[in-house]
Amino acid sequence: MKLKNIFPVVLCILVGFFMGTFMLKQYRTDTDVVSLTGENLYFLQAGVYSSEESMKESMKNTPYYIYTKENNMYYSYIGITKNKKNLKTLQDFYKSIGYDIYIREIFISDVAFLTVLEQYDNLLLETTDTKVIRSIENQVLSKYEELMINDKD
């Protein structure tokens, strides 16, 4: 092989190597890592409504609640927990004050919210006082709204 043919071949290999390295570095820095860690949480659903106005009217006597809009329906929630014992406590509490509760399991992967929820669940395990239960759930809903709903906007 002649020297004249070797130089372009080596040059093409070097250019290809550097371009490949550059592209690989761009790929690694611009991609987000998808995490499959998370947990199914129990959401205490107070109702499903076809309009925001009807939901607000129905929930006007509820001190604190959150809602989401899915498939043109408004889902209102008055509690969240990941502990089955707390779920039973919350169901009994809300039924005693006149709410019909439906349980929805929703997968949440936000580590910050899961950590906060675990702390509140531990507090909830230690109490039977209805004022404390309501206060804890209001705080949980507030944190969910702060960390999950408002971050989407």
Side-chain angles (χ1 to χ4, degrees):
M1 214 160 149
K2 296 187 177 188
L3 184 63
K4 195 175 173 181
N5 292 339
I6 293 177
F7 180 73
V9 170
V10 171
L11 184 63
C12 287
I13 291 173
L14 288 174
V15 168
F17 173 78
F18 288 116
M19 291 298 289
T21 304
F22 174 76
M23 294 294 286
L24 187 60
K25 283 183 183 177
Q26 293 297 315
Y27 175 74
R28 285 186 181 158
T29 58
D30 288 345
T31 57
D32 293 330
V33 176
V34 176
S35 174
L36 295 178
T37 59
E39 296 183 44
N40 278 329
L41 303 182
Y42 303 107
F43 280 66
L44 285 81
Q45 179 181 312
V48 180
Y49 306 92
S50 58
S51 71
E52 188 173 0
E53 293 79 26
S54 65
M55 179 201 56
K56 287 182 178 181
E57 178 64 29
S58 179
M59 300 297 289
K60 70 181 177 187
N61 294 328
T62 306
Y64 198 83
Y65 66 95
I66 58 172
Y67 69 92
T68 59
K69 183 179 179 185
E70 301 171 26
N71 301 323
N72 294 324
M73 300 297 283
Y74 292 86
Y75 295 84
S76 62
Y77 302 102
I78 55 176
I80 304 171
T81 186
K82 66 179 178 178
N83 184 307
K84 284 199 180 235
K85 186 176 178 185
N86 285 343
L87 178 62
K88 177 71 172 131
T89 302
L90 291 172
Q91 278 182 306
D92 293 343
F93 168 71
Y94 283 116
K95 284 184 180 179
S96 74
I97 57 175
Y99 288 98
D100 289 326
I101 300 299
Y102 306 97
I103 305 302
R104 278 187 76 187
E105 284 190 47
I106 300 176
F107 183 81
I108 302 293
S109 61
D110 186 274
V111 176
F113 179 71
L114 292 172
T115 303
V116 168
L117 181 61
E118 187 169 339
Q119 293 169 357
Y120 283 120
D121 270 348
N122 290 336
L123 289 174
L124 199 55
L125 283 170
E126 302 297 322
T127 189
T128 57
D129 184 3
T130 57
K131 289 181 181 179
V132 174
I133 291 172
R134 184 180 296 271
S135 176
I136 289 171
E137 280 309 299
N138 288 348
Q139 290 295 318
V140 169
L141 294 173
S142 175
K143 276 297 184 188
Y144 181 81
E145 188 174 39
E146 176 187 325
L147 295 173
M148 302 293 292
I149 296 174
N150 292 339
D151 281 352
K152 290 180 184 177
D153 296 339

